[in-house]
Amino acid sequence: MNRRTALKRIAGCGIALGIAGLVGKQRILTALSRNNEIQQSEQEAMASVAEDFRGKFAVPGLSIAIAQNGRLAYEQAFGVAGRDSREELTPSHLFRIASVSKPITSAAIFSLIEKGRVRSEDRVFGTDGILGAEYGKQPYGPGVEQITIDHLLTHTSGGWDNGPDDPMFSNVGMNHAQLISWTLNNQPLKNPPGKVYAYSNFGYCLLGRVIEKITGQLYSDHVQSTILSPCGITDMRIAGNTMNDRAPREVTYYGQGQGPYQNPYEINVRRMDSHGGWIATPSDLVRFAIHVDGFDVSRNILKPETIRKMATPSDANPNYARGWMVNTKGHWWHGGDLAGTTAILVRTSSHFCWAALTNTRREGTVSALDDMVWEMVSKVSAWRTALAKNVLPG
């Protein structure tokens, strides 16, 4: 399976579905050192690729950050944060990141595994489960009490996929506890746990509740203190649902479709916390990626053997590991799409990490956004040697 096909299959936490603006100013981050390998003509070529993408997909705002060998090499914003305000987009604007939240949740689980507070083979429900009988009616349906932490990480729980019946897009007014109970009571597993890959937002919602049960903290508080803060990330938070709930410096989102789940402000994003609820800047995501990329023990926040496990696919799907999509070239990535949001986070085998975020979505934007950044990176002559050993996606 190539990168484009894989992105189309599991890109986002939503149901898979231009205006010309000003180029934002570049910004140096204190925790990362900029290298100065990009010539002016190359920056212009990169900007041209970005603007072509914006025009093709009617993207109001596009923000990108690229790091090489743990150093920020490029950070740029294009367009506007909001069409009505005409506010120029900058690298410090925050975006919903949708399913790019999943690698963050995975890292939090693996941090707990390292500390001996949970094991990947631990069961989630039932008498011996972490969540016990806290949710839903007993007895549970067939297979539910066999679901393990690793099944949730690898999307092999046996049910609750992100098709039309995705639990995370139903019963919008329910809180986590109510939704989990409703799902256990009304949506039986389709397959025995561990046998079949089926991308599950609900599975990663459960991982958030596992983190809360083990730590006694809110999911977001625990992730902030154990994952984000050690990476030097301070601005990330869980999104609000409405226009009025936007955080300072958060962009405005624009849907481009009709039907259910297409209005960015009529979905329960806050409830998506551990599978799709974070907001971030691209540089925040790059900071996270370079701290779990497996390239430098001195900066990584997880042990090398932990990172190897996190990036190892299950037998059910050779292209999905544990919170990351992977391929045989050694690249890891995750896409995200949600009404009003398109996101991509990539870690390459050639020691690049990058992220790109937009404040709109339509069909095809995730794979196109991924292709766009690969093309932008290829415009820099100093980076071509590193990229030459890898085949760019087509």
Side-chain angles (χ1 to χ4, degrees):
M1 183 186 298
N2 61 29
R3 287 172 54 83
R4 181 185 293 275
T5 302
L7 278 165
K8 284 181 179 178
R9 286 193 180 180
I10 64 106
C13 59
I15 302 300
L17 304 164
I19 357 181
L22 300 173
V23 175
K25 297 179 175 65
Q26 291 182 357
R27 180 170 61 100
I28 297 175
L29 300 183
T30 55
L32 299 173
S33 300
R34 178 179 303 283
N35 76 45
N36 297 309
E37 296 178 328
I38 308 175
Q39 304 301 315
Q40 182 63 36
S41 60
E42 294 169 340
Q43 292 191 44
E44 292 171 356
M46 294 170 80
S48 178
V49 173
E51 292 293 0
D52 286 347
F53 172 85
R54 288 186 61 229
K56 180 177 180 179
F57 292 98
V59 173
L62 166 65
S63 191
I64 306 157
I66 302 169
Q68 183 190 28
N69 296 321
R71 299 183 176 215
L72 187 68
Y74 180 85
E75 188 181 31
Q76 193 74 26
F78 302 87
V80 294
R83 285 172 172 159
D84 294 336
S85 67
R86 302 296 302 173
E87 178 186 1
E88 180 182 348
L89 188 68
T90 72
S92 65
H93 275 97
L94 296 156
F95 294 73
R96 294 174 178 174
I97 68 170
S99 280
V100 176
S101 301
K102 289 182 175 69
I104 296 166
T105 297
S106 175
I109 289 288
F110 276 105
S111 176
L112 291 172
I113 291 173
E114 278 192 352
K115 295 177 174 69
R117 302 184 71 180
V118 68
R119 300 174 304 164
S120 61
E121 63 268 27
D122 283 347
R123 295 186 178 185
V124 177
F125 296 110
T127 305
D128 299 324
I130 295 168
L131 300 181
E134 188 173 336
Y135 302 102
K137 299 174 183 177
Q138 284 72 53
Y140 289 126
V144 170
E145 293 189 27
Q146 279 68 58
I147 295 171
T148 66
I149 296 297
D150 200 55
H151 293 148
L152 299 181
L153 286 168
T154 57
H155 301 287
T156 59
S157 65
W160 310 316
D161 62 48
N162 69 329
D165 295 326
D166 188 336
M168 298 310 303
F169 289 87
S170 65
N171 301 300
V172 176
M174 288 184 178
N175 61 27
H176 284 130
Q178 293 166 334
L179 181 68
I180 293 169
S181 292
W182 181 90
T183 303
L184 290 171
N185 293 341
N186 293 281
Q187 293 193 6
L189 299 183
K190 299 176 182 177
N191 299 286
K195 300 298 184 183
V196 177
Y197 170 89
Y199 186 80
S200 176
N201 294 310
F202 184 73
Y204 271 71
C205 171
L206 293 176
L207 288 173
R209 313 298 62 85
V210 166
I211 290 169
E212 291 179 337
K213 188 71 172 182
I214 292 170
T215 66
Q217 294 179 284
L218 288 175
Y219 162 80
S220 57
D221 290 345
H222 180 76
V223 170
Q224 182 63 61
S225 63
T226 62
I227 302 299
L228 302 182
S229 291
C231 297
I233 299 168
T234 59
D235 289 341
M236 286 182 62
R237 65 195 74 181
I238 300 301
N241 293 336
T242 69
M243 180 83 76
N244 291 335
D245 288 337
R246 285 180 306 153
R249 293 184 288 106
E250 185 177 359
V251 299
T252 301
Y253 305 101
Y254 300 93
Q256 291 195 42
Q258 302 297 320
Y261 319 127
Q262 299 301 323
N263 185 328
Y265 297 108
E266 292 182 354
I267 49 179
N268 196 337
V269 184
R270 185 167 309 206
R271 194 178 65 185
M272 297 176 184
D273 58 357
S274 51
H275 78 80
W278 287 97
I279 59 174
T281 67
S283 60
D284 287 334
L285 296 178
V286 167
R287 283 178 188 267
F288 165 72
I290 67 173
H291 283 87
V292 296
D293 61 11
F295 293 133
D296 189 336
V297 174
S298 67
R299 71 168 181 259
N300 283 173
I301 61 172
L302 298 172
K303 297 175 183 178
E305 57 268 29
T306 301
I307 293 173
R308 282 193 294 271
K309 179 67 173 177
M310 186 173 64
T312 300
S314 72
D315 292 338
N317 185 348
N319 292 109
Y320 200 98
R322 290 155 172 86
W324 290 92
M325 299 178 69
V326 297
N327 65 16
T328 56
K329 296 184 178 69
H331 304 325
W332 314 344
W333 70 99
H334 213 294
D337 81 297
L338 188 66
T341 303
T342 310
I344 189 74
L345 175 63
V346 174
R347 170 266 195 204
T348 77
S349 59
S350 45
H351 293 224
F352 286 91
C353 292
W354 61 67
L357 301 169
T358 77
N359 55 348
T360 193
R361 173 192 75 169
R362 76 184 197 202
E363 188 172 0
T365 48
V366 179
S367 57
L369 186 66
D370 182 47
D371 291 346
M372 180 204 73
V373 186
W374 280 92
E375 185 177 357
M376 290 177 71
V377 171
S378 74
K379 300 297 183 184
V380 181
S381 58
W383 294 344
R384 289 181 190 140
T385 301
L387 290 172
K389 61 184 178 181
N390 300 309
V391 178
L392 297 184

